[in-house]
Amino acid sequence: MTERIPRWAWASLALILIFDVWWRCHTIAPTIRDAWGVAPWPVVAGEAEPLDCDEAAYGYIGREIAEGAVMYRDLSENKPPLGYWLYALAAAVGGAEETPIRLMPIPYVLATIALVWRIGVRIGGPWAGALTAWLFAILSTDPFLYGNGANMEHFFNLFSVAALGSVVLALDRPAARWPIALAGACLGAAVLVKQVAAAQGPVYLLALLLAGPRPGWRAKLRDAAALALGFGAVVGAAVLVVVLQGAGASAFEDIIRYGSALATLKVRDPSQPSGWVRWLTGNADPDGKLPWPWTWVNGRTDYLVWWGTGSWPAWLAAAPALPWMLLGKGSTPARRLVAAWTVAAGVETVAPGLYWQHYYLLPTPGLALIVAVAAVDAIRAAVRTGPPAGKIMPGLVAVFLLAAIGWTARIQVREYLMVEPEELTARDKGGRQWIALRGLGRELARRTEGWPSPTLYVWGWQSPLFLYSGLDGVTRQFFADPLLEDYARGHHRDHPAVRPRVERIMADLRKTPPSLVLVANQPFPELKAFLDDGYIRSSLGMRTPDGRGLWVERSRYAAFEAARPQPAATATGSGNRPAAAR
């Protein structure tokens, strides 16, 4: 579409952006109530939703980078650096605290809404653009996909949708090659958030080679070169920064070697669903069975909530919408590109083999586009002039697609907007553990107030303790990733990617003994011996025979125990995934 965009369409975008800010801020409504005395949401009670392990881990990394730490050299993680740098920017501007972290994704989500709106207008007209933007605003906040949080998928989607929009623009601009280079740069930025974005590269390359704006193979090869140039410039700049910071070797170890080991060596959890259905069930059910009849019951299972609980009607609507975009009457290269991009996003979701809920945010921009454009096409076909018999099928399709969109919105109103913010995490994110960790973190801050440079080590996924307590860690590996958990259970004891990591942790602990150690998972032998030698287990929280509990340095134990505990402060045990398994 190249016609002039009407004013009402721009106004619709502005209203949707305002709506999205209001919609997303429901999760911090109690904080706004406490600060302003009023909160314009139907359900405002208790406290804001607490940070989960991923948000807190990224927030901790961002805080440390903002204070001078270098990623990979001083902090260990297995993803490329851009997401961590964006977190560091947010920490530098607003602080690594609950409310700034909750607000941080909003600009990225708003920009993504504007991009999907523009793509929708280009391939389907103004009505399609407006419906796409509104549907994506709903889907991108789905609490069952952790969309109302600050996951890196929001950064990823902005850059990957920007790349998609640039190629769509390039298909209509035969005289310009800059949109192709821009697409490559945006793709590079997405890869620098998560490696799986590379799955989009072949989609763009095929689109340019098979349906490129310029005829002739030489011109098409120049287009491909422009895509590669933009990609290489962004990725190369990031690599150069990491190398100049003195973290090149550590980054290679974390991202390439250890990242590959995480994807291939993890010992299978006996409660995981069968692999051949897990792409659909996610981690929802220990028998690998889809909850039936889906959300007509309530979508709850014995393990975790099924990822599709909040948006299954929209995903179901994609079944006819996707082939329509690929093969339907009026299909264009841009429409086929959007459909292929959506399929590639599905590949990105399942490629890591982990199937966590927030991975399913990756296809939501494409999902919103194909469903909204197909719905508007069906409406146009149903109201066009012509024989009534020719309008029946488009009319039925339009009713089906609009009903799916409306039912998705109904679920989100019921399961998100009408739920207390704290209950969102209790119902959708693995239980009340994050609420308990917020209370425990505050208690640790209270009990260590006045101590000289108190520090914390966490053996588990309880990264929220770092932010709610304000304490710093003492080692690059500040949580227990899946392979380290396997190591504690007797696996990978001599593996060249795992053993050195354990030795590094122990060397750091011995060099700078932390004031407090929370052992939430089964400790590995070296850690247990270290604790027995210099620490005493606190009466605060759990105590198990295998060594789990909160340990206090011997010289500070009496002062720590003398403080009166707060009722809400309890240490928690393992029951969900570690922060590295994202």
Side-chain angles (χ1 to χ4, degrees):
M1 294 285 180
T2 56
E3 65 267 21
R4 186 172 177 269
I5 300 173
R7 291 181 178 178
W8 69 261
W10 289 104
S12 72
L13 173 61
L15 290 174
I16 291 167
L17 295 177
I18 295 171
F19 163 80
D20 185 73
V21 174
W22 172 80
W23 182 262
R24 292 191 67 85
C25 283
H26 165 64
T27 198
I28 59 168
T31 301
I32 295 174
R33 173 205 61 200
D34 295 344
W36 296 351
V38 63
W41 290 271
V43 176
V44 183
E47 289 194 68
E49 184 182 10
L51 302 174
D52 64 25
C53 61
D54 289 1
E55 296 167 308
Y58 301 146
Y60 172 75
I61 290 173
R63 183 181 79 188
E64 297 300 297
I65 294 176
E67 293 176 356
V70 173
M71 194 63 216
Y72 311 115
R73 188 193 70 189
D74 305 317
L75 299 157
S76 186
E77 249 281 24
N78 62 298
K79 294 187 187 66
L82 183 55
Y84 308 121
W85 291 342
L86 293 176
Y87 252 94
L89 175 63
V93 173
E97 299 176 356
E98 183 179 275
T99 300
I101 288 174
R102 281 278 180 249
L103 293 173
M104 180 190 65
I106 291 179
Y108 300 94
V109 174
L110 295 181
T112 310
I113 290 172
L115 287 170
V116 296
W117 172 83
R118 188 62 185 91
I119 296 171
V121 170
R122 184 170 290 276
I123 67 174
W127 286 107
L131 187 57
T132 296
W134 180 81
L135 179 56
F136 177 70
I138 296 294
L139 292 173
S140 63
T141 315
D142 183 356
F144 296 99
L145 304 183
Y146 306 173
N148 61 316
N151 281 296
M152 286 195 184
E153 281 75 12
H154 296 306
F155 309 150
F156 183 103
N157 277 344
L158 171 60
F159 297 128
S160 60
V161 172
L164 171 64
S166 298
V167 178
V168 168
L169 177 63
L171 295 178
D172 287 340
R173 294 282 186 92
R177 194 166 270 126
W178 65 263
I180 300 175
L182 178 61
C186 293
L187 176 60
V191 168
L192 288 173
V193 176
K194 282 193 170 187
Q195 301 96 311
V196 292
Q200 300 170 27
V203 173
Y204 301 142
L205 188 60
L206 286 174
L208 293 172
L209 293 178
L210 300 179
R214 281 166 286 274
W217 284 105
R218 288 186 178 180
K220 293 181 184 298
L221 290 176
R222 292 192 186 100
D223 290 343
L227 183 72
L229 180 64
F231 177 87
V234 169
V235 174
V239 171
L240 180 62
V241 169
V242 171
V243 170
L244 291 177
Q245 289 179 321
S250 299
F252 179 83
E253 173 66 28
D254 282 352
I255 300 171
I256 306 301
R257 292 193 62 198
Y258 201 71
S260 300
L262 279 168
T264 57
L265 293 180
K266 177 70 179 78
V267 176
R268 187 178 185 275
D269 186 338
S271 62
Q272 286 179 354
S274 301
W276 70 276
V277 295
R278 198 170 168 211
W279 66 273
L280 182 58
T281 65
N283 296 303
D285 187 272
D287 296 325
K289 297 177 181 177
L290 191 67
W292 182 260
W294 296 8
T295 52
W296 269 284
V297 180
N298 62 10
R300 302 301 191 267
T301 71
D302 297 332
Y303 191 43
L304 291 173
V305 180
W306 177 47
W307 66 267
T309 300
S311 55
W312 66 263
W315 292 85
L316 187 62
L322 185 64
W324 170 257
M325 293 286 286
L326 284 170
L327 305 171
K329 183 179 179 181
S331 181
T332 62
R335 288 190 171 203
R336 288 190 287 271
L337 171 62
V338 169
W341 183 94
T342 306
V343 173
V347 172
E348 294 165 353
T349 300
V350 302
L354 296 174
Y355 311 104
W356 291 111
Q357 284 91 322
H358 47 89
Y359 289 13
Y360 293 85
L361 285 170
L362 299 183
T364 53
L367 179 67
L369 277 163
I370 63 174
V371 171
V373 171
V376 171
D377 285 352
I379 293 171
R380 289 194 185 111
V383 300
R384 67 187 175 187
T385 58
K391 302 179 181 181
I392 295 176
M393 183 57 68
L396 292 174
V397 171
V399 168
F400 168 73
L401 294 176
L402 292 176
I405 294 171
W407 196 267
T408 299
R410 177 181 180 275
I411 293 173
Q412 292 297 316
V413 169
R414 183 187 68 210
E415 301 289 347
Y416 171 67
L417 189 63
M418 303 306 295
V419 175
E420 294 180 13
E422 271 191 328
E423 286 303 306
L424 290 171
T425 195
R427 294 169 54 174
D428 306 332
K429 297 182 180 178
R432 304 187 68 83
Q433 54 197 335
W434 314 119
I435 301 172
L437 285 170
R438 175 164 61 186
L440 178 59
R442 291 169 176 170
E443 178 70 2
L444 297 184
R446 187 181 71 85
R447 292 196 182 200
T448 59
E449 186 177 3
W451 289 16
S453 304
T455 52
L456 170 69
Y457 176 65
V458 173
W459 175 249
W461 37 258
Q462 288 76 8
S463 54
L465 290 181
F466 288 105
L467 296 192
Y468 288 114
S469 71
L471 301 179
D472 285 329
V474 297
T475 179
R476 285 170 54 190
Q477 190 75 38
F478 60 93
F479 54 79
D481 65 43
L483 294 187
L484 293 178
E485 286 189 319
D486 285 349
Y487 180 91
R489 293 192 290 263
H491 306 285
H492 319 309
R493 287 292 169 88
D494 296 315
H495 193 279
V498 180
R499 181 70 190 181
R501 193 156 294 228
V502 175
E503 293 173 350
R504 186 179 71 203
I505 290 173
M506 293 311 305
D508 290 339
L509 293 180
R510 294 186 183 103
K511 180 180 179 181
T512 312
S515 310
L516 304 172
V517 177
L518 178 72
V519 179
N521 295 344
Q522 175 186 342
F524 54 92
E526 297 93 330
L527 177 60
K528 183 61 167 59
F530 172 79
L531 294 172
D532 289 337
D533 185 54
Y535 291 77
I536 302 175
R537 207 154 12 158
S538 171
S539 60
L540 180 63
M542 66 177 184
R543 293 166 61 96
T544 64
D546 65 0
R548 283 177 283 183
L550 180 65
W551 296 73
V552 186
E553 193 177 15
R554 288 183 184 274
S555 62
R556 302 185 179 189
Y557 176 78
F560 186 86
E561 290 296 300
R564 298 188 64 182
Q566 297 288 342
T570 57
T572 60
S574 59
N576 203 355
R577 54 180 179 147
R582 295 179 293 278

